Amino acid sequence: MKKFQSGLDMTKGGILSNLIRFSVPLMATSLLQLFYNAADVAVVGRFAGAQALAAVGSTGSLVTLMTYLFVGLSLGSNVVIAHAKGAGDEDKISRLVHTSIAMALISGVVVMGIGLFASRPMLKLMNSPEDVIDLAARYLTIYFIGMPATMIYNFGASILRAMGDTKSPLLYLSVAGIANVLLNLLTVIVFHMGVVGVALATVASQVISAAFVIVHLRNAHDCTHLEWKKIGMEMKLVREIVQVGVPSGVQSCLFSVSNVIIQSAINAQGSAVMAGNAAAGSLEGFAYVVMSAITSANLTFVSTNRGARLYGRVRRALWVSMGAILVAGFGVSMLFYALQEPLLRLYNTDAQVIYWGKFRLQYILPIYFLCGLMDVSGAHLRGIGFSFPQMLIALTGACAFRLIWIFAIYNPNPDMGILYLSYPISWSLTIAAYLVFYGLVALPRLKKEEREMMNARI
């Protein structure tokens, strides 16, 4: 096999240039994905009404809750494969590819089963209004049928990104996303299928993107080549993936618990608040994916360079990444803040929906860069081997804090401004805790490993 036939070599060149070259295609991929998701929300909001918009928009936190443990496993694959690439271990990469695809298939079936049986009870627990819950349950039933394809794409894209290839997932998602938008327009506007049409279009696009990834791996001429007969769970590799991925997945799930509780509080305010919140959240997502792409680039960069034992590059990557997040995240957030009203009107023209969308955005967008700084500092800790401590910090600083805030501060005085303040405060607390842990524990560990490496060479 040809060694690492394609992809960016993150062990060479400038740190910022590597991060930019890696993150720009990933950023474009995420923006396209978000655009297609926004198209779901916008098409259903404009052509099927505010109730349908509330139904589709209110399912996001529930989908995240049910899927992110397994999405965390795909992140674990990314880290372990990137580490093996940095160490030059082609045989291990090949075995990781086949183990990851097996995990994707199993994860997809498990999530599909959970989603099909748990969606409606969870919607009831979230206080979904009577005029919304049936539509939301119908949407989720169809959406979760596509979970096996979603997991195959997530794991497959993680494999490609770990090898430095962010362009291929961009291409595949572009084609799948165009199909999604066209099917949205066809099913909702032409056939008047409402949320059912949006869900069917989403599942179809998931199947297309998964098929592209599988074909790519099947046709690869390097150590990522996929052979059907080799797909299986190599337990030693599963444990490595789980050690990194499960803390990340558990963290995301418990974050989602806090978000579900927040969504429940929003649902109790009625469909207009729900719809405005859904539209605002969709707009925030565009700023988030810009920051998230830099975070993913940092994770792959750190994992690869630690595998190559290039400790100086690992240390410098944190500060370079945080600077990039600050500039890019703040810039995009303020652009959307300036254009908030016309952008919200793309989702729905109801005055109450727009009012509540603007109400949320004024609390979030001006300081949204804090969320990016939190994510990238946490990803840096995961990349250098501190997944479990990173998870504990995140759960305490963000998840637990938000729950305490809701029950102790918001419930006695149910004002939406108080509810939204829980986000920036929790981001700030978590960033501070990450940096303290990095300075007191992680950085000394890296320097110790570097000294041991230098002494072994003498």
Side-chain angles (χ1 to χ4, degrees), residues 8 10 12-24 301 313 320:
L8 176 64
M10 288 194 164
K12 300 176 182 177
I15 295 175
L16 182 59
S17 61
N18 270 280
L19 292 175
I20 292 173
R21 289 172 62 194
F22 186 93
S23 64
V24 167
F301 182 95
R313 291 171 67 82
V320 174

Side-chain angles (χ1 to χ4, degrees), residues 71-342:
V71 172
L73 292 178
S74 71
L75 180 64
S77 292
N78 177 285
V79 172
V80 177
I81 292 172
H83 193 275
K85 181 186 178 185
D89 193 341
E90 294 183 56
D91 177 67
K92 185 174 182 180
I93 293 172
S94 178
R95 292 184 288 121
L96 281 164
V97 167
H98 292 91
T99 295
S100 296
I101 295 300
M103 293 177 72
L105 291 168
I106 294 171
S107 299
V109 172
V110 170
V111 176
M112 179 178 69
I114 294 172
L116 291 177
F117 288 103
S119 293
R120 179 173 283 273
M122 289 296 293
L123 288 168
K124 289 182 178 178
L125 289 175
M126 292 170 63
N127 299 319
S128 291
E130 290 299 321
D131 62 343
V132 171
I133 190 169
D134 287 338
L135 292 174
R138 202 173 304 159
Y139 174 84
L140 287 173
T141 297
I142 298 170
Y143 182 93
F144 277 108
I145 291 173
M147 270 300 119
T150 299
M151 290 299 165
I152 288 173
Y153 174 78
N154 281 330
F155 276 81
S158 289
I159 293 168
L160 299 180
R161 289 166 185 155
M163 298 300 292
D165 180 7
T166 55
K167 294 180 181 178
S168 296
L170 170 60
L171 174 62
Y172 305 150
L173 190 68
S174 299
V175 177
I178 291 170
N180 184 30
V181 172
L182 293 176
L183 287 171
N184 273 336
L185 297 173
L186 180 66
T187 57
V188 177
I189 299 176
V190 178
F191 295 117
H192 307 289
M193 297 174 68
V195 297
V196 171
V198 171
L200 289 172
T202 300
V203 170
S205 68
Q206 290 168 344
V207 171
I208 292 170
S209 59
F212 273 121
V213 166
I214 291 296
V215 170
H216 180 112
L217 294 174
R218 288 282 296 156
N219 292 332
H221 297 293
D222 59 8
C223 52
T224 62
H225 176 69
L226 178 67
E227 298 182 43
W228 299 120
K229 62 182 181 181
K230 292 185 178 180
I231 294 176
M233 305 275 281
E234 186 173 335
M235 296 312 298
K236 180 180 178 181
L237 300 180
V238 170
R239 284 193 293 271
E240 287 189 45
I241 292 171
V242 165
Q243 285 175 356
V244 177
V246 165
S248 176
V250 169
Q251 171 190 323
S252 297
C253 286
L254 293 178
F255 261 109
S256 298
V257 169
S258 66
N259 289 335
V260 165
I261 293 173
I262 290 174
Q263 184 66 50
S264 300
I266 294 168
N267 292 351
Q269 302 294 326
S271 58
V273 178
M274 291 173 66
N277 185 78
S282 180
L283 290 180
E284 290 164 16
F286 284 95
Y288 180 78
V289 298
V290 172
M291 299 185 292
S292 179
I294 299 170
T295 297
S296 297
N298 173 276
L299 181 62
T300 302
F301 182 95
V302 170
S303 302
T304 303
N305 281 276
R306 186 163 184 262
R309 307 186 77 179
L310 298 174
Y311 296 102
R313 291 171 67 82
V314 171
R315 292 194 299 268
R316 293 194 299 274
L318 174 61
W319 310 114
V320 174
S321 299
M322 292 184 79
I325 288 277
L326 185 60
V327 173
F330 183 74
V332 175
S333 295
M334 294 313 296
L335 174 63
F336 276 74
Y337 187 80
L339 300 173
Q340 58 184 294
E341 183 157 346

Side-chain angles (χ1 to χ4, degrees), residues 50-62:
Q51 288 180 344
L53 171 61
V56 174
S58 65
T59 60
S61 58
L62 184 55

Side-chain angles (χ1 to χ4, degrees), residues 262 265-266 356 359-360 362-364 401-402 404-426:
I262 290 174
I266 294 168
W356 286 111
F359 188 88
R360 172 177 171 128
Q362 70 177 329
Y363 279 91
I364 303 297
F401 172 83
R402 289 180 191 173
I404 293 170
W405 182 274
I406 290 168
F407 292 112
I409 307 297
Y410 171 76
N411 282 347
N413 183 24
D415 177 89
M416 294 303 294
I418 293 175
L419 183 67
Y420 291 140
L421 277 175
S422 65
Y423 288 112
I425 296 175
S426 64

